Amino acid sequence: MRFDLHVRQGVRDQVGSLAVQMASWEARAPLSDEAREWILQAITPFAHTTVAAGLHVAGVDGSGDYPALTYADSFVYLTVAASALYASDSLSGLREVAPVPAPLVEFTWLSTDEWQREQALLAAFGRLGGLPVDEVLGQSDYRMLKAAGMTQSVEALRAGLILPPAHDAGNLGIQLRTSAELGAALRLIETVPPGTLVLTDGTLTLPFASRERQSLFPEHLRRLCCVRARDRGVVFVALSKSHGLRGEEQLEALAREKMGGGAGVPEHWYLRVGGEPFDNPVVAYLDPGGRLPPAGAVTYFVRLHRTTPLFRLDLDQFFWEQHIRGASDEETRCNEEALLGRLDYASHDQRAYGYPYPIKAAHDRASLTDQERAALRKQIMDAAVQAGMRRSLFRSVALATGHA
């Protein structure tokens, strides 16, 4: 069937109505003079960094197939995560540090039986995180940030973990992939030299921290990464391309004004949300939902290069207080500029200019092609048939319905 939705009058009317709503929302809360002045003062330029001797920077990313196959009333999920470690080099900018970390690969079989599903998921989380689930729950500082505080036992935390049903591919995919990425990050944190930047694609948001009992395993694992990074002197950074920030155009205009005008997109500047002062007039404007900064984190909005988007960067608040916040505002700015300068240096590779290349390298290694997905599905089925299962009961829903 030819695609003709875009020329139908009903669709065009809906698009027009949608545009009016979006424009009204964007314009409904003008920036106050107080917030404008605060932003102008808070926007901080930093230098384009061309030398970073002794820098180590790592990136992690994940992907998978959710589900890869179904068999009668059960589902097989495939999760992959990869990491890459680079060091600064005076000749090539960044050179990869050998040996290359082996990728994480996890096959998770979940059935409709509640006991089997829970045991299989907990075991998968343990393998992905590199530690048994109870150890992650016990060693993470997530309890300190949760509504119930430190009063919850490990057993209570485990009982409160949200374990989706076997068919809930969307939620399972998010939890498995995030656990794999954080597990790869934790393995790096435990082995890289102190001072290394370990970068993940995402945020330090803890969506269930405000709930008394329920939580997600990746929340605990994310905070364990923060704990171990502090212990080892490693810089654990969550970097997101999709920040959901309101008023980005006005921020760009104010950054341009702060940095001397000009018609181009201003680059090499940042704005911090969190740390001190916490109560400033711009937070409510940028984030009407009250999500920033996340519990236990300090958030930055950073422009590295004119051709890449404004990034959101989250740091562990306790790390920030120990290593970034100085005795004076000037010392804090110097520490911030030093950190962002190293991030800028890692973003000069021509294969991903303006974006830290180690994350891009990890993404390329973790991404599965259609051919790889098909080969892994066939490998699962062949092994299952050898074990006595019936090939005819295996299904790839995407292939069977023409959605692959």
Side-chain angles (χ1 to χ4, degrees):
M1 183 181 77
R2 294 183 61 186
F3 182 77
D4 63 351
L5 292 179
H6 61 298
V7 299
R8 297 185 183 185
Q9 188 60 47
V11 172
R12 296 173 68 175
D13 290 344
Q14 287 191 57
V15 170
S17 176
L18 175 68
V20 170
Q21 294 176 51
M22 293 171 63
S24 175
W25 173 258
E26 182 67 16
R28 81 180 182 94
L31 190 63
S32 68
D33 291 342
E34 183 184 18
R36 183 181 186 278
E37 183 61 28
W38 191 96
I39 292 176
L40 274 174
Q41 294 297 321
I43 287 174
T44 306
F46 63 96
H48 180 61
T49 305
T50 57
V51 177
L55 172 65
H56 285 78
V57 57
V60 299
D61 204 5
S63 67
D65 206 357
Y66 307 106
L69 289 168
T70 65
Y71 182 89
D73 69 338
S74 61
F75 301 77
V76 178
Y77 291 89
L78 166 62
T79 308
V80 179
S83 56
L85 176 62
Y86 286 78
S88 57
D89 186 287
S90 59
L91 296 177
S92 60
L94 289 176
R95 57 175 175 80
E96 187 160 14
V97 177
V100 177
L104 286 177
V105 181
E106 170 68 21
F107 294 95
T108 309
W109 167 57
L110 304 176
S111 74
T112 54
D113 180 83
E114 184 174 351
W115 185 88
Q116 186 280 332
R117 172 181 58 85
E118 291 182 358
Q119 296 305 306
L121 262 180
L122 292 174
F125 288 152
R127 289 190 293 269
L128 291 171
L131 290 170
V133 166
D134 282 5
E135 291 189 29
V136 173
L137 301 180
Q139 295 177 23
S140 171
D141 67 358
Y142 179 70
R143 281 184 290 181
M144 295 174 55
L145 306 173
K146 197 164 177 61
M150 293 295 290
T151 60
Q152 285 188 301
S153 66
V154 168
E155 291 75 16
L157 291 171
R158 188 185 342 107
L161 291 177
I162 296 175
L163 305 176
H167 65 270
D168 192 352
N171 285 321
L172 285 167
I174 291 171
Q175 288 210 48
L176 290 168
R177 184 179 66 253
T178 306
S179 296
E181 293 173 354
L182 294 171
L186 184 59
R187 289 167 171 84
L188 284 170
I189 289 167
E190 298 286 9
T191 56
V192 295
T196 299
L197 273 64
V198 175
L199 311 176
T200 63
D201 185 356
T203 71
L204 294 186
T205 300
L206 305 173
F208 285 84
S210 60
R211 300 196 183 185
E212 183 176 350
R213 298 187 182 279
Q214 291 182 309
S215 63
L216 304 172
F217 177 75
E219 293 181 288
H220 298 268
L221 189 56
R222 180 174 287 119
R223 291 305 310 179
L224 180 58
C225 287
C226 294
V227 170
R228 292 301 299 148
R230 293 198 303 268
D231 292 344
R232 297 207 65 249
V234 172
V235 187
F236 180 53
V237 179
L239 192 70
S240 174
K241 302 181 291 294
S242 303
H243 49 68
L245 179 67
R246 192 174 179 198
E248 179 178 349
E249 184 177 354
Q250 289 181 303
L251 285 185
E252 297 280 8
L254 291 172
R256 190 179 303 112
E257 179 180 340
K258 177 75 174 276
M259 299 169 69
V265 176
E267 59 184 6
H268 296 106
W269 60 270
Y270 68 90
L271 172 69
R272 185 180 78 234
V273 179
E276 292 181 353
F278 281 106
D279 298 321
N280 59 66
V282 76
V283 173
Y285 175 78
L286 297 177
D287 178 41
R291 301 163 298 162
L292 295 176
V298 174
T299 294
Y300 291 81
F301 295 101
V302 183
R303 168 69 77 182
L304 293 177
H305 192 262
R306 62 177 61 89
T307 62
T308 51
L310 187 66
F311 295 128
R312 169 181 167 177
L313 184 154
D314 285 355
L315 288 177
D316 170 35
Q317 179 184 336
F318 303 105
F319 173 88
W320 184 87
E321 291 173 350
Q322 294 171 8
H323 299 281
I324 303 297
R325 181 169 64 179
S328 64
D329 290 343
E330 181 61 29
E331 186 178 347
T332 299
R333 282 194 295 270
C334 288
N335 292 336
E336 290 172 331
E337 291 173 25
L339 170 62
L340 296 175
R342 288 184 286 165
L343 188 67
D344 180 47
Y345 183 89
S347 304
H348 295 166
D349 192 287
Q350 293 301 320
R351 291 166 289 185
Y353 197 85
Y355 184 67
Y357 181 67
I359 301 183
K360 175 64 165 58
H363 170 80
D364 291 344
R365 293 171 187 175
S367 297
L368 295 172
T369 65
D370 290 341
Q371 292 81 3
E372 288 169 331
R373 294 173 193 270
L376 287 166
R377 290 168 187 158
K378 183 177 184 302
Q379 189 173 357
I380 296 170
M381 287 189 289
D382 289 347
V385 169
Q386 283 189 340
M389 300 178 72
R390 293 173 56 187
R391 187 180 296 273
S392 61
L393 291 181
F394 278 98
R395 296 285 186 274
S396 171
V397 177
L399 288 174
T401 58
H403 289 80

